[in-house]
Amino acid sequence: MLIAAWVLLAVLLLWGLGAYNRLMRLRNGIALAWQQLEPALTELRAVGAQLAERGPAWLPSEGPAFDNLRQAGEELAAAVQAVAARPHSADAAARLAVAHALHAAALQRVRGLLALGVGDEHDADRQALLARLKQAEPPRDFARQLFNQRVQAFNLALDELPTRLLAGLFGFHDAGSF
């Protein structure tokens, strides 16, 4: 009887270690996916900042749209820093999702405004920035998809019944997708 108890205890201990290692591997996968997403978001923010800086010279009457883009870029940068500190934090990912949506909307507004003004002396600069913006979007989309897949895999592992019992003891919580 005593041997059976020790065997059961050893099995439970090994299972707990295995569950912990699996959750750590999946959480580290989120951090690795973030390492691909962060530069893509930083590039989009940089292009947006250049558009916000140069735009008022191209379209002086649309200053508020460029100010909005500048402000959205600053909020996006702050959200990116928050996620960089803890890529698996649901709160930071939610903040990033909101900041990214605001930045994307501001970029779309500015992109539409700049597409209307063609044929002036600033056309080459404007087209170069718009092309750079277009090139920056596919890497962001790919990295975002990868990040969300890793988050989903982690959250699914947390929801499995035996692991769910130990997740709280190990300090694991649902991660947030972007």
Side-chain angles (χ1 to χ4, degrees):
M1 183 70 145
L2 184 60
I3 293 175
W6 280 107
V7 168
L8 180 62
L9 182 64
V11 167
L12 288 176
L13 180 65
L14 290 175
W15 169 76
L17 287 173
Y20 176 81
N21 287 336
R22 178 175 179 227
L23 290 174
M24 283 302 296
R25 187 179 66 251
L26 290 169
R27 192 165 79 174
N28 289 340
I30 294 171
L32 289 173
W34 173 252
Q35 290 176 359
Q36 290 183 355
L37 182 56
E38 184 177 13
L41 291 172
T42 302
E43 173 65 12
L44 276 177
R45 190 190 97 47
V47 173
Q50 287 182 345
L51 286 170
E53 180 184 320
R54 296 179 186 171
W58 300 332
L59 298 169
S61 63
E62 297 296 340
F66 295 109
D67 291 340
N68 187 27
L69 179 58
R70 184 177 298 109
Q71 181 181 0
E74 291 169 2
E75 290 173 13
L76 180 61
V80 165
Q81 286 179 346
V83 175
R86 294 191 65 211
H88 50 84
S89 168
D91 293 338
R95 179 179 173 199
L96 177 63
V98 170
H100 180 264
L102 292 173
H103 188 257
L107 268 176
Q108 188 62 30
R109 168 82 172 128
V110 166
R111 184 185 299 187
L113 290 171
L114 293 177
L116 295 176
V118 294
D120 62 8
E121 69 274 4
H122 301 292
D123 196 40
D125 269 354
R126 182 173 40 240
Q127 294 305 321
L129 277 175
L130 290 174
R132 186 172 159 207
L133 177 62
K134 190 173 182 177
Q135 289 174 345
E137 290 172 340
R140 183 252 350 244
D141 294 341
F142 175 77
R144 182 178 187 178
Q145 180 181 5
L146 178 65
F147 180 80
N148 287 336
Q149 287 173 345
R150 298 280 173 89
V151 166
Q152 183 180 18
F154 177 78
N155 288 341
L156 287 174
L158 276 179
D159 286 339
E160 292 175 355
L161 183 58
T163 306
R164 183 48 118 185
L165 298 174
L166 294 177
L169 294 174
F170 295 144
F172 292 106
H173 305 286
D174 285 341
S177 60
F178 158 61

